[in-house]
Amino acid sequence: MTRYLPLVRAALARRRARTVLTIGSVLIAFLLFALLMSVRQAFLGGIRAVGKRILITANVVSLVSPLPLADRTIIASVPGVRRVAYEVWFGGYYRRTGNFIFALAVDPPTFLAELRGELGLSPRARARWIADRRGVLVGNAIAQRFGWRVGEVIPLRSNVWRRTNGTNTWPVRVDGILRPSEKRYAQLALLHYHYLSETLAKNTGLSGKVSLYRVEIAHARDAAAVSRAIDARFANSPDPTRTSTARTFLLNFLDQIADIGTIVTAILAAVFFTMLLVTANTMARSVRERTAEFAVLRTLGYGPGRLFGLVVAEAALLVGAGAVLGLLLGLGLVAVLHGLLAAILPGLALPPSSFALGLALVVLFVLASSLVPYLQITRLAVADALRRE
Amino acid sequence: MTETAAQPSSEPLIRLERVSKSYRRGGETIQVLDRVDLAIPRGDFLALMAPSGSGKSTLLNLLGGLDRPDEGSILFDGVALESLGPRALTRWRATHVGFVFQLYHLLPVLSAARNVELPLLLQRLGRAERSRRVAAALSLVGFPDDRHTFRPTELSGGQQQRVAIARAIVTNPTVLLCDEPTGDLDRRAGDEILDLLVELNRRLDKTIVMVTHDPHAAERAHTLVRLEKGLVGEIRATSS
Amino acid sequence: MHVLRETWLLLIVSLRSLRKRFDVALVATVGFAGVVLVLVAVLSMAAGFRHTLHATGSNDVALVLRKGSGAELSSTLSLDQARRVGDAPGVAVGAHGPEISPELLVLINRRERRSRILANVPFRGVSASAFRVHPHIHLVAGHLFKAGLDQVIVGRAAEESFRGLRLGDHFTSGGVRWRVVGVFGDHGGVHASEIWTDLPTLESAYRRGDSVSAVYARLVSPAAYPRFRANLLHNPELSVSVHREERYYAHQSRGLDRFITIAGTIIALMMGLGALFAAANTMYATVSERAREVAILRTLGYHAAAVVLSVVAESVLYALSGGVLGALAAFLFFNGFEASTLNNFSVVVFRFAVTPSLAAAGILFAGALGLLAGLAPAVAAARRPIAAGIRAL
């Protein structure tokens, strides 16, 4: 097919400004595509990585209502459950309430056992922290943000809890920095549950409680059955539970913030609809202008199929160039934004699946914008076209 | 190029049998060709002379398979063109017909050589073979070697028409259909193009059908056919 | 003056032949419409959220939280502490004593009607004084809850958005079967997303003892706030933070507002660039089709400047009509569109607000893009040699 390349190239060179502007429009569409897919990834990308064998058991009232710590042994006795970890929402901040820190008070051994390699924690730091009741593990994103180093003692404050001494400040020593592959954990800070519970003011009425349980099950396929079994155990207790997979739990929370998926799709639909119109119009005009040329080619023995092939190649070159440039530019921009927005929007990255989707969009674009030229070519009256010149 | 092909033989290359063609323009129907019978022998150089609107371009389009007759039959080497489907007709055109137009109809964005190469792209030929044939065709029509890469706009009318003729003969077609090939040229350039056509007819045995309204050009053909009001009028052999 | 008259004439002549270029003109217009639609829609989301939170607070009401708690949800005060707030100077005193409203806020899971998402719906326990401190809360259907009967009233937005919250419905939470006996409005404020009941009933249902989350206090005037605040902060028996209600809610909208506005602007700028390309394409096509006409007029003595101006004017015209279309579409599709998000873990239902100023901003943005898009083709048209133009056809 390469021998037709000069023909196709020549057609695109015919009106240089138009070609450049059309490629520009497609480029913008794919640049936005790259950006929005990255934003979507930042919000929803972590979901896929959430372990399928982790269930979350929370109070049926809402996720901010606590559960008794005593539930732990009951959950552990449910068939299919392998391990039970628990966590308490610490509501952490550093100095000002605006410096929010996603801090959890946990039981170190079980919590680490469940997340295993996902946290990117060195064995030494792990051992140090487990042994250090007043220790804290912090994600590299927050460590970087506040300039914390291992060994440093940080006055971590809580907007939820108060201490017996009347303050809301817990001095904690940084025992290790998490360098997780999963970007969500880069914002995490982990304290010892027992440090919190022992120093908690009695009048809070919340001692001996946890925010939620993280339940590891033996087989992912049992998730629904085990969830039902756990909830059944507590159905008639003062604190009934609602158990779901960690994925469902997280997805529901994100969905409450915003339906990012739908918003991204809607904007992209508007963008691509507009740009498709531009490309399709360019192709239609280009073919119409060359009606006589196509007629000449017909007299030289070019069939309609071959002429259409040339038009498709032309469209593919236009759209392909725009798409490749747009995606490349998008990759660069996402890399820059990733650095700039690390604190607000961690995990901003173009997911590999976008390239397949991008390719599908290119094919769709090419076919859609070749539709009018197809009609023009098949209905081309050669004799008339030559006379018109 | 056998002996028999060199002379007009008894079996004509092209035969039109009661060919009619009409167009609708506005509300009325215009009968352009009315039951035309015509036989064109192999190796002939035939000039079709007619006042404008008498259907000479229509006839040429029918001969080239660009258009289909309403009635009647066009036989090319024994094959009825109307029996061919669109695909077969396209293939037939690619192998048997070369077109030459009054306004050359070169693609302005391609160089002279690239224009000539266009029909060769449809065949399974290597790049080297294609450029060899392009060079041969261009030299055959007397196109200067140093201008192969020139764009049509950089060439004179006579040179553009030579490129167009080279493009028409590069696939070695059986018949050349020329629509006013000298219509846009001055007398001298026109004469050179006519010399070239005569040469192609004599030396390469190309059957040529040329539509013209110029008696001077028609003089150069073997056979002269006058079309009048959709009917074939006088047919005579010219002096040459 | 001449140039302007010539421009006008050139523009009219060009628009008369619009039918021939209808397709490109349409593409340019739709391009601009798309940009403005997305821009206005996204910004109207931010505006709607902002309006809801700004509509909530009033200037002469103070909000008292536990020190160190940024929000009601994480704040806990004892009823005793709450009563002391009423002793502070500056608190309005009515027929029933100081106008303070101790309130308890819990979150309960309710399914959203449309998305089936489990949402954190705020459930507020109040006493009779609440309706004096928040006079904008008004019943629109049914009647007020009666204490101790497990009755609730629900905000209008909550009634619409969540299952089981229609007037007469029952729902179970905290081991209690609640009955919806009334619906209230909040003049566009956040409380319309909430469920209200009487304070003791809520405290016992969720085993909160006699604690409350916050105390709202109506002050004698907005000017009384500093003294009220200073007094509470210096009271050694209290450990509280004090906020102006108006600012407290307005402040909460800032983060999301800023995020949406920045993101929306970036997207609109990029789409704008794409639309600019499309429009420039259109104008190049226009200019090349009208080459002969322009050349003839130039030989008659028309100025190059008039050619430039007429092309730019045409481009701006497409842009403005596209802008109007886009703003109109945004208004039709998105104005009043109901959405919800989380604010301090609590769901807030709000409506997209396509305001006149947003629509105007969108249309002006399109106009500016149209101006830019017309420039290069206009200059190209004016620079084209007259002779070449005449030969063109």
Side-chain angles (χ1 to χ4, degrees):
Chain A
M1 276 333 271
T2 52
R3 61 183 137 159
Y4 294 110
L5 210 59
L7 254 181
V8 174
R9 217 170 39 208
L12 291 174
R14 205 182 142 85
R15 288 203 193 277
R16 204 150 298 187
R18 179 170 65 196
T19 302
V20 169
L21 290 171
T22 306
I23 291 179
S25 305
V26 178
L27 183 155
I28 295 290
F30 278 87
L31 177 59
L32 270 172
F33 171 75
L35 275 184
L36 288 171
M37 291 310 278
S38 304
V39 170
R40 191 176 180 278
Q41 171 77 2
F43 277 91
L44 304 176
I47 304 284
R48 203 167 299 223
V50 170
K52 286 187 183 140
R53 292 193 292 115
I54 304 290
L55 306 178
I56 302 287
T57 298
N59 194 308
V60 73
V61 170
S62 79
L63 77 136
V64 297
S65 295
L67 286 173
L69 182 58
D71 287 0
R72 185 187 181 192
T73 46
I74 301 173
I75 296 173
S77 72
V78 171
V81 171
R82 179 181 274 182
R83 204 180 272 130
V84 182
Y86 51 88
E87 59 197 54
V88 170
W89 175 254
F90 184 75
Y93 64 95
Y94 179 55
R95 293 201 172 128
R96 290 183 299 108
T97 44
N99 291 331
F100 173 74
I101 291 167
F102 195 106
L104 299 175
V106 301
D107 175 46
T110 49
F111 191 87
L112 292 181
E114 274 195 9
L115 289 178
R116 277 184 285 273
E118 294 173 45
L119 291 176
L121 184 64
S122 74
R124 259 181 56 204
R126 179 195 160 96
R128 190 160 53 222
W129 180 55
I130 289 178
D132 179 12
R133 190 162 266 240
R134 297 190 169 202
V136 68
L137 293 177
V138 294
N140 48 3
I142 35 177
Q144 200 183 336
R145 183 169 161 213
F146 299 117
W148 295 345
R149 292 179 196 293
V150 173
E152 202 171 334
V153 175
I154 307 298
L156 195 63
R157 309 179 81 173
S158 166
N159 63 24
V160 187
W161 309 110
R162 322 230 86 201
R163 298 185 58 146
T164 36
N165 66 11
T167 71
N168 63 342
T169 307
W170 274 263
V172 286
R173 186 184 302 110
V174 179
D175 281 335
I177 309 276
L178 307 174
R179 301 184 196 286
S181 51
E182 184 51 53
K183 295 290 182 256
R184 267 177 317 129
Y185 298 133
Q187 302 282 331
L188 193 63
L190 296 171
L191 294 84
H192 281 239
Y193 173 80
H194 291 289
Y195 178 35
L196 179 67
S197 65
E198 282 160 15
T199 52
L200 215 52
K202 293 289 170 277
N203 65 354
T204 54
L206 288 163
S207 47
K209 305 233 169 168
V210 301
S211 297
L212 48 84
Y213 288 99
R214 301 173 55 88
V215 182
E216 187 184 332
I217 55 174
H219 304 289
R221 61 171 187 273
D222 299 336
V226 176
S227 298
R228 273 195 304 274
I230 292 173
D231 291 345
R233 297 283 173 102
F234 300 107
N236 296 313
S237 80
D239 292 293
T241 58
R242 173 176 275 122
T243 304
S244 57
T245 61
R247 182 181 298 198
T248 308
F249 183 82
L250 195 58
L251 209 56
N252 187 75
F253 186 75
L254 291 172
D255 276 345
Q256 283 195 73
I257 297 174
D259 192 349
I260 295 289
T262 306
I263 293 172
V264 164
T265 310
I267 293 177
L268 282 179
V271 170
F272 276 93
F273 174 73
T274 313
M275 298 312 156
L276 181 61
L277 226 56
V278 172
T279 341
N281 186 254
T282 300
M283 290 310 300
R285 281 190 87 75
S286 160
V287 169
R288 196 189 323 158
E289 278 175 10
R290 288 181 289 154
T291 305
E293 282 184 23
F294 280 118
V296 172
L297 288 172
R298 287 294 303 276
T299 69
L300 296 180
Y302 283 67
R306 203 174 302 266
L307 291 184
F308 182 59
L310 287 174
V311 171
V312 170
E314 199 177 319
L317 219 61
L318 266 182
V319 176
V324 168
L325 290 175
L327 284 177
L328 282 180
L329 210 62
L331 271 178
L333 200 60
V334 166
V336 172
L337 288 177
H338 175 77
L340 291 177
L341 301 178
I344 339 170
L345 207 59
L348 196 70
L350 192 60
S353 63
S354 308
F355 292 99
L357 188 56
L359 186 70
L361 279 170
V362 167
V363 172
L364 187 78
F365 249 65
V366 170
L367 290 183
S369 54
S370 307
L371 191 69
V372 174
Y374 174 75
L375 297 177
Q376 288 170 326
I377 285 170
T378 47
R379 289 177 188 168
L380 178 70
V382 180
D384 285 347
L386 289 173
R387 205 169 313 159
R388 222 182 334 179
E389 184 81 344
Chain B
M1 266 161 275
T2 57
E3 268 317 296
T4 50
Q7 293 298 317
S9 66
S10 53
E11 178 53 35
L13 176 65
I14 306 168
R15 183 192 289 279
L16 276 69
E17 289 173 349
R18 301 178 72 71
V19 170
S20 295
K21 182 75 185 175
S22 59
Y23 289 109
R24 293 187 68 81
R25 187 165 294 158
E28 55 180 327
T29 308
I30 301 165
Q31 190 75 28
V32 191
L33 297 175
D34 190 6
R35 285 160 290 173
V36 170
D37 287 309
L38 185 63
I40 302 170
R42 200 179 288 272
D44 196 7
F45 184 173
L46 182 139
L48 259 171
M49 270 196 83
S52 44
S54 55
K56 50 185 196 281
S57 292
T58 304
L59 189 60
L60 211 59
N61 288 338
L62 291 174
L63 287 177
L66 296 177
D67 213 342
R68 289 171 185 273
D70 299 336
E71 279 169 55
S73 176
I74 300 170
L75 292 160
F76 185 95
D77 217 356
V79 178
L81 293 190
E82 58 274 11
S83 71
L84 300 177
R87 264 165 196 279
L89 201 58
T90 297
R91 220 171 15 241
W92 167 81
R93 196 157 50 229
T95 41
H96 291 293
V97 187
F99 278 93
V100 177
F101 304 96
Q102 176 179 0
L103 295 171
Y104 333 125
H105 284 322
L106 299 175
L107 301 202
V109 288
L110 295 180
S111 69
R114 289 276 190 212
N115 263 289
V116 177
E117 192 188 16
L118 282 174
L120 292 179
L121 295 178
L122 300 172
Q123 302 179 7
R124 295 186 185 282
L125 295 172
R127 181 192 294 257
E129 178 60 16
R130 287 204 304 268
S131 53
R132 198 187 63 72
R133 292 196 191 187
V134 168
L138 282 171
S139 103
L140 194 65
V141 300
F143 186 77
D145 283 344
D146 54 351
R147 302 212 161 175
H148 284 195
T149 57
F150 281 40
R151 296 279 173 98
T153 46
E154 298 163 321
L155 300 172
S156 72
Q159 281 169 339
Q160 287 190 59
Q161 195 59 298
R162 281 175 200 274
V163 174
I165 293 171
R167 184 178 67 183
I169 61 168
V170 72
T171 51
N172 196 20
T174 320
V175 60
L176 278 184
L177 301 177
C178 309
D179 191 356
E180 303 275 11
T182 60
D184 216 44
L185 298 173
D186 59 36
R187 173 56 62 89
R188 229 193 77 205
D191 280 343
E192 282 173 18
I193 292 299
L194 288 169
D195 288 344
L196 176 58
L197 290 178
V198 169
E199 180 105 341
L200 290 174
N201 173 248
R202 283 216 189 109
R203 296 240 318 264
L204 297 184
D205 190 34
K206 294 289 167 220
T207 306
I208 298 177
V209 178
M210 175 174 74
V211 163
T212 181
H213 66 272
D214 178 10
H216 175 76
E219 281 301 311
R220 306 294 301 272
H222 289 308
T223 315
L224 180 66
V225 174
R226 282 185 192 278
L227 262 185
E228 263 157 36
K229 292 175 185 164
L231 291 162
V232 172
E234 176 194 6
I235 301 181
R236 65 175 170 84
T238 57
S239 52
S240 60
Chain C
M1 268 328 285
H2 275 297
V3 171
L4 284 185
R5 257 205 354 243
E6 290 168 18
T7 306
W8 179 245
L9 201 125
L10 279 163
L11 186 63
I12 296 294
V13 169
S14 176
L15 292 180
R16 281 218 180 118
S17 61
L18 192 62
R19 219 153 40 120
K20 275 201 297 188
R21 303 187 302 280
F22 188 69
D23 58 335
V24 275
L26 189 72
V27 166
T29 308
V30 170
F32 287 119
V35 175
V36 174
L37 172 64
V38 170
L39 176 69
V40 173
V42 171
L43 293 186
S44 75
M45 173 163 49
F49 182 65
R50 194 170 57 231
H51 288 179
T52 299
L53 286 168
H54 279 246
T56 305
S58 55
N59 202 6
D60 59 353
V61 171
L63 168 61
V64 181
L65 298 173
R66 192 189 62 191
K67 196 176 167 189
S69 299
E72 281 183 279
L73 195 65
S74 51
S75 162
T76 321
L77 297 169
S78 67
L79 213 50
D80 179 52
Q81 285 175 309
R83 275 191 211 102
R84 280 164 206 260
V85 171
D87 301 336
V91 177
V93 180
H96 307 268
E99 304 227 304
I100 61 163
S101 169
E103 300 177 8
L104 173 65
L105 186 70
V106 300
L107 294 184
I108 64 167
N109 282 331
R110 291 287 99 208
R111 284 226 185 264
E112 247 175 43
R113 244 180 245 290
R114 275 180 308 177
S115 63
R116 305 197 66 248
I117 290 170
L118 216 47
N120 300 339
V121 181
F123 197 176
R124 192 178 287 272
V126 298
S127 44
S129 59
F131 300 94
R132 291 192 293 274
V133 176
H134 308 291
H136 43 95
I137 302 290
H138 56 286
L139 271 184
V140 294
H143 58 83
L144 209 58
F145 49 81
K146 291 191 178 69
L149 292 180
D150 301 341
Q151 297 180 340
V152 301
I153 57 174
V154 300
R156 232 186 213 161
E159 185 203 18
E160 276 302 308
S161 300
F162 308 109
R163 288 194 191 171
L165 296 190
R166 291 216 200 273
L167 191 59
D169 281 355
H170 287 88
F171 68 91
T172 304
S173 175
V176 175
R177 190 157 184 264
W178 304 93
R179 192 156 77 87
V180 179
V181 298
V183 178
F184 65 91
D186 185 23
H187 294 299
V190 290
H191 298 307
S193 309
E194 299 180 348
I195 306 171
W196 284 23
T197 188
D198 70 289
L199 180 59
T201 307
L202 195 71
E203 282 172 337
S204 75
Y206 296 98
R207 302 192 299 280
R208 295 300 176 91
D210 59 356
S211 74
V212 297
S213 305
V215 179
Y216 288 81
R218 172 161 296 284
L219 305 178
V220 287
S221 77
Y225 176 76
R227 214 151 62 90
F228 170 80
R229 179 168 191 265
N231 180 276
L232 289 185
L233 294 188
H234 291 111
N235 186 337
E237 289 169 59
L238 290 174
S239 172
V240 295
S241 61
V242 183
H243 311 264
R244 259 190 214 277
E245 190 193 29
E246 188 184 54
R247 283 240 217 102
Y248 171 78
Y249 283 104
H251 188 79
Q252 290 176 357
S253 72
R254 282 227 312 246
L256 188 67
D257 187 5
R258 199 178 297 170
F259 178 78
I260 298 175
T261 305
I262 291 175
T265 308
I266 291 174
I267 291 170
L269 281 178
M270 287 197 180
M271 281 190 75
L273 198 62
L276 194 149
F277 289 163
N281 229 340
T282 299
M283 295 322 293
Y284 271 118
T286 305
V287 162
S288 79
E289 268 179 24
R290 296 181 53 223
R292 200 163 88 113
E293 182 183 307
V294 167
I296 290 169
L297 289 169
R298 290 289 309 280
T299 59
L300 299 180
Y302 277 66
H303 288 88
V307 175
V308 171
L309 280 177
S310 76
V311 173
V312 171
E314 192 177 330
S315 172
V316 170
L317 204 65
Y318 294 150
L320 290 179
S321 28
V324 170
L325 273 179
L328 211 62
F331 183 80
L332 287 177
F333 297 142
F334 291 106
N335 194 41
F337 182 82
E338 202 178 79
S340 66
T341 186
L342 282 188
N343 182 48
N344 281 324
F345 289 95
S346 317
V347 75
V348 178
V349 179
F350 62 96
R351 288 176 182 281
F352 284 39
V354 179
T355 61
S357 64
L358 274 185
I363 294 169
L364 280 181
F365 178 57
L369 289 173
L371 189 77
L372 288 174
L375 280 179
V379 171
R383 279 222 187 127
R384 201 180 159 98
I386 298 175
I390 291 177
R391 247 188 284 121
L393 274 184

